[in-house]
Amino acid sequence: MWHIGGARTTIRPMANHYGKSAVKASLVHFFFGKALNAVVSLVTLIALARWLTPADYGIYIAFSALQASLLVVSDLGIDTTAERFMPELRMHHSDFELLGFVAAVLCARVGTLFFMVGIGWLFADDITAIVGLNAYSGLFKLWLGVVAFSGLLGLAVVLLESMLHQRPAQTSMSIYVVLKLLLLYLGWHLFTIDILYMVQIELIATCIAALFGTVQLLSHFSLAGLHDGWLIVKKNRQRLQRFAFFNYFAQVVFQLFSAEVIKLMVTRLLGVLQSAVYGFAHSLAETVQRYLPTVLLLRLIKPVFVSRYVKTGDFGQLNSLAQLVLKLNLLILTPTIAFAAVYGGRLLSLISNGKYEEAHWLLVGMLGILVFNSHKIILSLLAGTLEKNKMQLYAGIASSIVFPIALLLIPRLGPLGAIAVSAISGLTYNTYATFYLRKAGYCYQPDLRAATVFLISGILTFLLIFLINKMLPFLLGLFIAVFIGGSFYIFVVRTMHAFSKEEVKILNSLLPKTFFNL
């Protein structure tokens, strides 16, 4: 078992930082912050769909996709390395000793962001030309500031959440989403909302949120720990660099088939109007994904995964936790897909003021792909915990075969071709990664029986709400379908015992009172 060492090591019990009591203490701020951010983000998404023209919305989608790709390319594995090792460091050192580690991480990330902005500024014309936005290179230069502040905000939130300091982490994100919505509403009343105004909004909101998050992060450490933390970094430099190296190159390879690159390909091959349709459906699916357990709880459970594995070295325990989180995802995803298949078109028309009803089956397909993405996140979480980042790199290389397939399918099938490409990519990655873990000696076993239960439950629920939709008017049928269809779905899942008694016990032990009775 590896342990990070350093000057004046102080062994601190895991329960102080990552035991059940610590997780419970952070849950209130975590769920309140996530709930607030979810509501505000959804309102913002609807406002953008209604108030921006499809052309401006398509450009906004493309800029956001470029931002995500640039953040990955400029990261050099810094964020994931900090996220992976901060819990382990706190297992063996007091926070008093860790400022040197945090300062090294922040300085490295700021340096890579400055370099990325400089390169992006010099090659702005070429970058925008590649994605078919030649006329917007000037705006893209301004957007590079958004990318830089987003990178700093992301790192601050990663470190705060890895320490289970959920209050400042969620507050930082809330500042960004709330300020963005307020400025958008102000623009609707007083100005013209176009792509220039959206770039300005993003620049202001990310700047303020990033500065707040960074100050909150540094307030948890003491200057006296600068020297000790730096000694820890120096002593474990090779291990940190090895982890960052493989993780970084895996993430870069992922970009060849990432959702962001697919959006950029849609923009390049089909134009900004199709980019708007695809981007709107993807934004809704991404909103669902953001609040699925594997993503919603990722930074809450990742420190727990790491700290427990460091303490026990028991992969069986990790496998059980992975199965549980994946089941929670399927519990939510399955009925969501069923409802989207029946009511998705009219709901999209309603919330977009009639602009994007055609994105109905794109949304259903994207929600289906979230099943693959959920499993991929779990596999990547296990790889990071086990320090098997070669798995992510090799699985990413195997999945990169979809890049030429995308060039073939998207022009012929339109946005639906992008859905097919994403499905092939997810299936390839998950299959390779599962076999890699097993070959490496880790008996990773997804719960296929539970997956079958969720599939059967989803099909039966779809048939029920399809009949309700045929018999009743839209809004009345939707309301009744949510109540009756949801209750029926839970009844089937509970009757077929998708969750074991031990899993239900674990879930309820983390909550203030008994909630799960599946």
Side-chain angles (χ1 to χ4, degrees):
M1 181 66 59
W2 283 91
H3 295 291
I4 286 187
R8 297 192 301 173
T9 299
T10 302
I11 304 297
R12 298 174 67 86
M14 181 184 71
N16 287 353
H17 293 312
Y18 302 107
K20 288 183 180 180
S21 59
V23 174
K24 280 186 176 182
S26 65
L27 277 176
V28 174
H29 299 298
F30 178 81
F31 283 119
F32 179 79
K34 291 293 185 180
L36 173 63
N37 295 342
V39 172
V40 175
S41 296
L42 183 59
V43 173
T44 302
L45 174 61
I46 294 172
L48 288 173
R50 284 175 165 265
W51 297 342
L52 275 177
T53 65
D56 279 346
Y57 187 65
I59 297 167
Y60 179 77
I61 290 295
F63 275 9
S64 299
L66 278 171
Q67 172 180 317
S69 294
L70 289 173
L71 285 175
V72 170
V73 172
S74 67
D75 179 61
L76 299 183
I78 294 169
D79 284 28
T80 50
T81 302
E83 186 178 32
R84 164 60 180 84
F85 287 101
M86 177 59 86
E88 185 172 333
L89 282 168
R90 297 181 80 217
M91 290 285 291
H92 302 286
H93 301 272
S94 67
D95 289 350
F96 178 83
E97 300 174 277
L98 298 180
L99 179 61
F101 173 77
V102 174
V105 169
L106 282 173
C107 289
R109 189 65 180 112
V110 169
T112 61
L113 288 169
F114 268 114
F115 183 75
M116 179 272 300
V117 169
I119 296 297
W121 186 278
L122 289 174
F123 295 96
D125 291 341
D126 300 303
I127 294 172
T128 51
I130 289 173
V131 297
L133 299 176
N134 312 57
Y136 299 95
S137 61
L139 269 181
F140 176 69
K141 290 179 179 179
L142 187 59
W143 188 273
L144 288 171
V146 178
V147 180
F149 286 123
S150 295
L152 182 59
L153 172 62
L155 179 58
V157 171
V158 161
L159 285 169
L160 287 167
E161 291 192 331
S162 71
M163 300 166 68
L164 295 187
H165 291 320
Q166 290 295 334
R167 182 174 183 177
Q170 299 307 321
T171 301
S172 300
M173 292 306 302
S174 296
I175 288 174
Y176 165 67
V177 297
V178 172
L179 185 57
K180 178 179 173 180
L181 179 59
L182 290 176
L183 291 173
L184 185 61
Y185 183 75
L186 181 67
W188 182 58
H189 277 282
L190 302 179
F191 309 107
T192 300
I193 298 180
D194 55 13
I195 186 60
L196 174 60
Y197 186 72
M198 288 308 305
V199 173
Q200 294 169 337
I201 284 178
E202 291 282 0
L203 191 59
I204 294 171
T206 52
C207 175
I208 294 175
L211 294 177
F212 176 85
T214 304
V215 170
Q216 287 295 307
L217 172 65
L218 294 176
S219 69
H220 290 280
F221 302 95
S222 167
L223 280 174
L226 190 62
H227 178 68
D228 286 348
W230 179 242
L231 289 179
I232 294 170
V233 173
K234 289 176 65 178
K235 183 172 182 178
N236 298 276
R237 183 180 59 187
Q238 289 186 347
R239 186 179 173 211
L240 296 170
Q241 288 176 341
R242 182 173 62 251
F243 184 92
F245 175 83
F246 282 108
N247 192 278
Y248 172 67
F249 279 100
Q251 294 300 321
V252 170
V253 170
F254 289 167
Q255 289 305 297
L256 294 175
F257 57 91
S258 68
E260 289 73 30
V261 168
I262 295 297
K263 282 188 278 188
L264 292 174
M265 293 180 74
V266 169
T267 305
R268 171 67 181 179
L269 299 172
L270 303 178
V272 293
L273 296 181
Q274 286 297 323
S275 174
V277 175
Y278 184 85
F280 180 65
H282 184 271
S283 295
L284 285 172
E286 192 175 42
T287 300
V288 174
Q289 176 175 266
R290 195 178 298 132
Y291 297 97
L292 291 174
T294 50
V295 177
L296 177 66
L297 300 173
L298 181 62
R299 289 177 181 163
L300 189 67
I301 63 176
K302 185 176 287 189
V304 177
F305 268 52
V306 173
S307 59
R308 289 190 179 182
Y309 188 68
V310 168
K311 183 180 180 182
T312 66
D314 182 6
F315 179 77
Q317 188 179 65
L318 285 185
N319 190 75
S320 297
L321 288 172
Q323 286 183 350
L324 176 57
V325 177
L326 188 55
K327 287 183 189 180
L328 289 173
N329 264 36
L330 294 176
L331 176 69
I332 298 170
L333 265 179
T334 308
T336 304
I337 294 171
F339 276 94
V342 177
Y343 290 102
R346 282 176 288 180
L347 283 174
L348 289 176
S349 177
L350 180 65
I351 63 179
S352 68
N353 199 25
K355 292 180 182 177
Y356 302 117
E357 184 176 0
E358 62 188 291
H360 175 197
W361 291 108
L362 290 177
L363 177 61
V364 175
M366 289 175 183
L367 290 173
I369 289 170
L370 294 186
V371 175
F372 296 116
N373 288 349
S374 299
H375 194 197
K376 175 185 172 184
I377 291 170
I378 288 294
L379 288 165
S380 297
L381 176 58
L382 290 173
T385 303
L386 300 168
E387 296 184 57
K388 294 293 182 183
N389 293 95
K390 287 183 180 180
M391 182 211 82
Q392 298 184 78
L393 177 59
Y394 297 154
I397 293 173
S399 301
S400 63
I401 62 168
V402 303
F403 190 76
I405 296 175
L407 294 175
L408 178 67
L409 291 184
I410 292 176
R412 288 166 173 77
L413 301 179
L416 287 175
I419 300 295
V421 167
S422 298
I424 295 170
S425 167
L427 183 60
T428 303
Y429 180 96
N430 293 342
T431 302
Y432 183 94
T434 298
F435 280 108
Y436 183 98
L437 282 177
R438 291 178 180 176
K439 187 177 179 180
Y442 299 99
C443 189
Y444 174 66
Q445 296 180 338
D447 192 338
L448 297 180
R449 180 195 171 278
T452 304
V453 169
F454 288 119
L455 177 62
I456 294 172
S457 303
I459 293 173
L460 294 176
T461 303
F462 166 78
L463 294 174
L464 176 62
I465 61 178
F466 180 80
L467 292 175
I468 293 174
N469 178 52
K470 289 295 184 181
M471 293 187 294
L472 297 173
F474 170 55
L475 290 178
L476 176 62
L478 177 62
F479 175 79
I480 293 177
V482 169
F483 178 74
I484 295 180
S487 300
F488 175 77
Y489 173 77
I490 293 298
F491 170 78
V492 176
V493 169
R494 182 179 179 183
T495 301
M496 300 182 72
H497 302 292
F499 292 85
S500 68
K501 292 182 179 180
E502 182 62 28
E503 287 171 334
V504 173
K505 183 179 178 181
I506 292 173
L507 289 170
N508 286 323
S509 69
L510 295 174
L511 299 172
K513 60 181 181 179
T514 299
F515 179 79
F516 288 93
N517 189 24
L518 296 172

